[in-house]
Amino acid sequence: MASAVRKTEVENFHDRHTGGMSLLYADAYDPDDMMVHPRHQAMQPVLAQLIQQLRDCETAEAGVVFQRDLLAHLLDMEKDYDAFKRAAKRMRSGKAPRPEAPEPQSGRDLADAETWRFEQEVCARLARQLRSVGDALAWRVFGFHRPFILALCRNQSPGMMFGKAGLSAELERFERACKEDGAFALLHDLTNCLRIGDMTVWDGVHPPRTEEIKTNPKNSRSAQLRRINQARAAVLEGGPLPGDNASELLYDLDLPLRTHLDVLRDALERAATEGIYATPVPGSRVLFVFDQYACVQQGLSSEQFNERHQHAVDGALQRAGIAVSREDHNIYVTSLDSTARDPLRVPWANYPLHPVACARLIGDYAVATVETSGPVLTRLLQATGLDARWVRPPGKADLQQGEVIMEIHQQERLRSVTLPGGLTMTPGWTLQMRRSELDRYLMELLQPGTWAAGIKHVLAARQAGQPWPHYRNEHEIWV
């Protein structure tokens, strides 16, 4: 590809799909600079090849080979990241980069410290993209059983592998487990979603065992071991999830997961040909997709892009019945620059899509955004018999982590209590829906009936605290 979509075109898309509320990329660089960078473009076939290699893994030995290959790519990228970081620091202090520093490929001024910092950010972003494929491996080896991910993601991201003090000990333990013990081991540092412990081992007999590995075993931290034990107990024994809130529990919905991911697959295929595609999705949603390769191949000018985009979006919003409330009550989730940032999201490499389509989503050469209207979504739940109320105030502010957006109330009609003065009290339960649950409904394109049934299931259980629900049969959905 000779170039990416013009900045004005991409920014227009972003403003319409996120309300213009935040930078296009978290690193704050011009999107064109990042997308046309030779390293960034060269990563696309690497990602597609790794995804296909992962899907072809049929044995534990193949899974070990895959991890070694992914590790090599990741360490190479992080090594360059570290070198560019050191070079940028030297430049800011008036010194020249060391001779062994890698050559910048952006074409920017080598005498400018920001050139080296930009190269550093490109490497950091590509390392995240590689880790997203590691996330796909983690989901697969855990049998797509979401509770393992929900339990083991509850730590801060450990950061880069390159230069890590305990890396040699981890690799030694990894090789020993796979070669000598006859087990399968998964290196957590290859992922973003596994943040508790350093490695999980499967011996073919017992449940998977998560380990904390230290160069000196006497230095094992009791806090980390405690979190490992909490995660294990949460999944296998129904204990609280790791953390200080004992009311956070996994909750088995005992329901099959049903999605409209076929709509996403079709939309990506249409966008790969047409450049821009928008369609309503059952459940008061609209899916927007644009493909930068197709837009460039068609030679769309900014004006043509904007006109085609506006027409597609307006039509889809009208058909979905959420055009009127868009200004104040519509909210969005997007794939844009989200790869390996949120450990709760299913990695794109696990979506039932072609590896090339997955790679484009990971690299933001294809962008998918799902939009809904809060009040309209509330009415959809009310139609299923749920007493739902949208509590998020009008406006375009970003959704915050942990923000309550909807409340769903259920009264215990058979348990009315008579109070003094002729009053009657009916006990009830209120389920508060937060951002992560809405994100899942939108980005995973859950069928509305499945989603509503899950909410009813949680309410019927009358479980106090903060349940983290999960469906059955996810191994049938993800690849």
Side-chain angles (χ1 to χ4, degrees), residues 181-198:
D181 301 343
F184 177 80
L186 172 64
L187 285 166
H188 288 196
D189 278 351
L190 290 176
T191 78
N192 170 63
C193 65
L194 303 180
R195 301 179 172 189
I196 293 177
D198 296 315

Side-chain angles (χ1 to χ4, degrees), residues 12-27:
N12 176 274
F13 174 88
H14 181 256
D15 288 345
R16 291 185 177 278
H17 286 55
T18 63
M21 296 177 289
S22 60
L23 292 167
L24 182 58
Y25 292 114
D27 49 40

Side-chain angles (χ1 to χ4, degrees), residues 411-471:
Q411 289 187 341
E412 300 284 356
R413 293 183 176 86
L414 300 180
R415 295 178 56 198
S416 296
V417 178
T418 302
L419 301 176
L423 299 176
T424 299
M425 180 187 73
T426 303
W429 295 83
T430 297
L431 183 66
Q432 291 185 327
M433 183 178 298
R434 302 176 189 272
R435 190 188 80 172
S436 59
E437 177 63 19
L438 182 67
D439 183 281
R440 182 176 180 186
Y441 172 68
L442 296 178
M443 191 54 73
E444 297 179 24
L445 295 178
L446 270 64
Q447 290 187 6
T450 295
W451 190 52
I455 294 171
K456 290 180 178 179
H457 202 286
V458 174
L459 281 169
R462 304 180 181 89
Q463 177 179 313
Q466 297 182 28
W468 286 82
H470 57 92
Y471 294 85

Side-chain angles (χ1 to χ4, degrees), residues 329-355:
H329 293 290
N330 282 19
I331 52 180
Y332 319 79
V333 297
T334 180
S335 68
L336 191 64
D337 197 29
S338 62
T339 290
R341 290 194 185 278
D342 185 352
L344 296 178
R345 278 195 178 183
V346 178
W348 288 115
N350 285 135
Y351 274 65
L353 305 168
H354 192 281

